[in-house]
Every structure is written in structure tokens, then in C-alpha cells.
Amino acid sequence: MTFYVLLSILALLRSYSIQGIDLFTIGVIPVLFGLIKRTHWASMVFKIYLGIQTLAALALTTTAIIAYQIAPEDVKVEFQGTELPIPAIALTVLLILSFQYWVAFSQKTKEYLQRTC
């Protein structure tokens, strides 16, 4: 739950900084709300949001691979002037998605959402 609280804060900060709202950024808020309130739809929204994240990661990966085939020297990720290593980014994305899949499909999450407050 803490992960989604932090993710929601980051989503709101990103929406404020870019002065816009998109599904990928702000989609975490219904997930967090559903998990906190233990609603009957929380599991489905969680899995849909996870699917959106997976599709985005696959799209970015495919784009990076194609770009690397065309111009390897131009494929780099910079954040505030610092170049980030691609393998570290890929590993981080894989770990975050894996963790979320584990949480989304675990028996403990199902039990948590079925308990009434």
C-alpha cells in the first residue's frame, strides 16, 4: 500500500509539473482508493492499471530496440543532465512490474480485499 501512496504523490507532482493529466500518470489514484476502501472493483482496476503499465513498458522497449538498430549512439536516457545506464533502467522496470504482478495475483491481496472493515 505504501508503494501506491508514494506512486500517487509522484503522479500528482508530475501532473502538476507538466500541467496535464494522462491515464498512465493519474491511473494510480483509483487503484489506491480501491485498495484503501477495499472495494469490490479494486482488484480489477489494479490489474487493468498493471496491464497499462506493462503495455507502456513493452512499447518503450520495442522503440528502444528499433532505435538502437538504427543509431546506437543516439540511444541514451538523460535525467537532469545525467546519463542513466539502460540495463539499470530495464532491471528497475522489470523489478517494479514483477513486484506489482506478485501483489496483484497473490492470495493475500485477494483475502485483504474480501475482508470487510
Side-chain angles (χ1 to χ4, degrees):
M1 184 104 48
T2 306
F3 178 75
Y4 282 98
V5 170
L6 293 174
L7 203 56
S8 295
I9 291 169
L10 290 173
L12 291 173
L13 289 174
R14 181 175 184 273
S15 293
Y16 178 75
S17 70
I18 65 170
Q19 296 295 310
I21 296 175
D22 60 10
L23 180 62
F24 187 68
T25 302
I26 211 74
V28 70
I29 294 176
V31 173
L32 179 63
F33 179 78
L35 291 175
I36 290 172
K37 292 292 189 176
R38 296 183 183 181
T39 61
H40 63 281
W41 48 262
S43 178
M44 183 172 296
V45 171
F46 186 16
K47 291 171 185 166
I48 290 170
Y49 185 64
L50 187 52
I52 292 169
Q53 288 180 343
T54 303
L55 286 174
L58 289 172
L60 289 171
T61 302
T62 303
T63 304
I65 290 170
I66 292 169
Y68 189 79
Q69 296 297 319
I70 296 169
E73 66 278 352
D74 291 337
V75 178
K76 57 185 172 182
V77 177
E78 287 188 19
F79 180 72
Q80 296 181 347
T82 305
E83 189 172 333
L84 302 175
I86 301 291
I89 295 170
L91 181 63
T92 302
V93 169
L94 182 65
L95 289 173
I96 290 172
L97 284 176
S98 298
F99 171 73
Q100 290 184 87
Y101 271 102
W102 175 71
V103 171
F105 292 100
S106 77
Q107 186 63 32
K108 288 186 179 190
T109 302
K110 185 177 180 181
E111 292 169 4
Y112 169 80
L113 291 173
Q114 288 178 347
R115 270 188 267 145
T116 56
C117 296

